[in-house]
Amino acid sequence: QLKSLSLDGNEIAGPIPSEIGHLQQLDSLGLGENKLSGPIPSEIGHLQQLEGLELQNNMFSGPIPSEIGHLQQLNDLILSHNIGLTGTVPVEVGQLKSIWYASFFNTSLTGGLDDLAFCNIRSDFDFSKMCADCGGLDPKITKCCRTDENGHTRCDPD
């Protein structure tokens, strides 16, 4: 079974086919630096083993599918440099329990991380390694969550 698919930087054009959801053993999907367009298919939510989803530097449009919130093993979510992504980051994305890096920079997404509960993931989460870049066009927000030596967690603009 295919575990990792990395097709970064191959100038692949067109939409991601919905059949991507059939690759249920994938733990890594790298399709960055291409010319992929259209919506991100909701079928990506079927990839329950996925730890890394890198779709940066493409031409995706429309909202981020809430089904990405089904990817409870996801560590990395990189959607930056997709200016056609619109709407807000789904609340389900903010509830991912394994996420440690999320990037939404240079998109047309609105809102901020305060709406996402990234700082309420779980009490034993290592926030020193979690950073989320939510720098859409408006507002440009980058927040990192850190746990200090007293065990207090804060998210600050970077």
Side-chain angles (χ1 to χ4, degrees), residues 84-125:
L85 287 178
T86 58
T88 59
V89 178
V91 171
E92 294 85 353
V93 171
Q95 296 169 346
L96 291 169
K97 301 206 181 308
S98 297
I99 199 85
W100 65 269
Y101 184 76
S103 178
F104 310 107
F105 184 74
N106 198 22
T107 65
S108 296
L109 296 166
T110 58
L113 293 178
D114 293 338
D115 302 329
L116 295 179
F118 273 114
C119 288
N120 296 314
I121 294 174
R122 63 177 191 259
S123 60
D124 63 340
F125 187 80

Side-chain angles (χ1 to χ4, degrees), residues 24-37:
Q24 295 184 1
Q25 297 303 312
L26 276 185
D27 60 26
S28 176
L29 179 59
L31 298 173
E33 317 273 336
N34 283 297
K35 296 178 181 177
L36 294 166
S37 59

